[in-house]
Amino acid sequence: MRIAAVASAFPAYHYDQKTLIEAFVRHWGAQMPDARKLELLHSSVGVDARYLTLPLEEYPDLTFSKANDVWIQAAQDLGEQAIREALGRAGIDGSQLSAFFFVSVTGIASPSIDARLVNRMKLPGNIKRIPIFGLGCVAGAAGIARAADYVRAYPDQYAVLLSVELCSLTLQRSDLSIANLISSGLFADGAAAVIVAGDECPAAGPEIIATESSFYPNTERVMGWDISETGFRIVLSPDVPAVIEKNLPGDVDRFLAANQLERKDIGSWILHTGGPKILRATEQALNLSKDALRVSWDCLRRMGNLSSASVLMVLEEKMTKRPLPGTWSILAAMGPAFCSELVLLRW
């Protein structure tokens, strides 16, 4: 099993963080006794610029229903763009796809986005569709793992994973909680597609050696959504870094030991860009240098946190500047439940 290609796609609207901070201060200024608090929060998230689905001036008029309609259309546009680019990089066409995994946590649709894209892109009528909602930030890694499970069973087939996360459309404009204020400065919009190839299919990307899922009981309130009349309200506990430090080292060490490896054997780390506190907690938990997660820090700076698509953006960067042949990599993300997903790769 190999990752044959990865490709990203972004909306047309791109804003530097200073411009976004000024817009939020104008919006919330009258309700906040000290606007400097917002400026400090947004300046500390390690983000220089973000892509948004809509122009800034259109967000104040969005209802939950309107935002979801925008999500449905934009998810198709960006999804098609990402898939077509990934197919081109893999050197195959859509007729060769046998399974379609779709992940998102920023909108809802039935028929799901994958079904709409099967029609729009004229993909095979017998393609197996697996839409997945609710995994949040972990879904990029989990989606690769589930696609790997599929091609392990069908080694002569290709599967596509599509992640579309339009986080700006979930913004709660009347919520002044710390969680929402942080989220409004951290999350952004984008899409990524991954082509996963079975062993009997031509592919030149990294080999998927093994995958591992870890579920942490009774951690539902660490991260997720509350669904209200106004849409998705962020659940984001300050305990996230502590949960990572407590659980991730054991997860990684057990996973590596099962594959006769140790942390020192890993030459490349592909980590979800959760934010500065998440990346620092990961560095500390795994005893990594900041340079080990340099690509994750850089993706966070350039595009913010894209939920499930973030780890795929880091993977795309690694595919562009590949490690030396034979290098071992861990691709990892964590998300709602709380849980982790690990993928062992060999270049």
Side-chain angles (χ1 to χ4, degrees):
M1 304 171 293
R2 291 185 180 273
I3 294 174
V6 186
S8 58
F10 295 96
Y13 303 99
H14 187 254
Y15 297 94
D16 62 68
Q17 193 77 329
K18 181 176 183 293
T19 300
L20 294 173
I21 291 172
E22 291 171 351
F24 282 119
V25 168
R26 287 195 300 271
H27 177 72
W28 277 322
Q31 304 172 62
M32 299 185 70
D34 186 0
R36 290 175 299 176
K37 179 180 180 180
L38 178 68
E39 294 176 10
L40 287 172
L41 284 172
H42 283 204
S43 298
S44 67
V45 296
V47 178
D48 287 352
R50 288 180 281 166
Y51 290 91
L52 303 184
T53 303
L54 296 172
L56 273 177
E57 59 271 17
E58 294 189 21
Y59 282 89
D61 296 327
L62 285 181
T63 63
F64 183 18
S65 176
K66 288 180 181 178
N68 199 68
D69 286 344
V70 172
W71 177 85
I72 290 172
Q73 184 59 52
Q76 293 176 79
D77 295 341
L78 293 174
E80 179 177 9
Q81 183 181 337
I83 291 173
R84 289 198 184 281
E85 181 64 24
L87 289 169
R89 293 179 181 181
I92 64 173
D93 60 51
S95 67
Q96 294 173 263
L97 295 175
S98 297
F100 190 155
F101 294 79
F102 174 71
V103 297
S104 184
V105 75
T106 52
I108 51 177
S110 183
S112 51
I113 300 301
D114 48 291
R116 296 166 193 250
L117 287 174
V118 169
N119 285 323
R120 179 166 165 163
M121 299 179 67
K122 296 180 172 53
L123 299 179
N126 63 348
I127 195 168
K128 302 171 185 70
R129 298 186 299 108
I130 307 95
I132 302 173
F133 176 85
L135 288 180
C137 297
V138 78
I144 288 177
R146 301 295 81 77
D149 291 341
Y150 177 84
V151 299
R152 182 181 291 111
Y154 300 96
D156 61 339
Q157 298 183 11
Y158 292 96
V160 62
L161 164 68
L162 174 64
S163 163
V164 180
E165 301 289 15
L166 307 181
C167 304
S168 71
L169 299 175
T170 70
L171 178 67
Q172 297 296 299
R173 293 176 296 282
S174 61
D175 182 0
L176 292 177
S177 68
I178 294 297
N180 191 59
L181 295 181
I182 292 173
S183 298
S184 67
L186 178 62
F187 287 94
D189 301 352
V194 181
I195 307 297
V196 178
D199 284 338
E200 297 174 16
C201 298
E207 185 180 3
I208 302 171
I209 302 299
T211 68
E212 182 74 16
S213 302
S214 296
F215 186 89
Y216 312 145
N218 305 315
T219 54
E220 292 96 332
R221 298 303 295 176
V222 171
M223 181 183 288
W225 295 125
D226 285 332
I227 310 301
S228 71
E229 295 85 351
T230 57
F232 300 105
R233 295 175 64 90
I234 189 73
V235 174
L236 184 62
S237 169
D239 295 333
V240 171
V243 173
I244 290 173
E245 291 182 24
K246 176 182 177 182
N247 293 284
L248 190 59
D251 291 346
V252 169
D253 289 343
R254 285 187 296 272
F255 180 50
L256 290 175
N259 290 278
Q260 294 77 52
L261 296 169
E262 300 177 15
R263 282 188 226 169
K264 64 181 177 60
D265 297 314
I266 303 304
S268 173
W269 296 86
I270 302 169
L271 269 295
H272 166 65
T273 60
K277 289 186 177 181
I278 304 302
L279 289 175
R280 290 191 198 104
T282 302
E283 290 168 350
Q284 183 170 337
L286 298 177
N287 195 27
L288 301 175
S289 68
K290 188 167 183 176
D291 188 62
L293 302 185
R294 178 182 52 80
V295 177
S296 295
W297 283 101
D298 185 55
C299 286
L300 174 66
R301 178 182 58 79
R302 290 189 288 110
M303 61 192 75
N305 185 339
L306 301 176
S307 190
S308 68
S310 285
V311 74
L312 307 182
M313 302 296 176
V314 180
L315 176 61
E316 183 183 27
E317 293 283 324
K318 292 283 188 177
M319 293 283 282
T320 302
K321 300 176 181 178
R322 299 189 180 196
L324 293 173
T327 299
W328 292 98
S329 285
I330 288 285
L331 183 149
M334 305 183 83
F338 201 67
C339 63
S340 71
E341 197 81 32
L342 305 174
V343 181
L344 179 63
L345 302 174
R346 183 169 55 202
W347 295 83

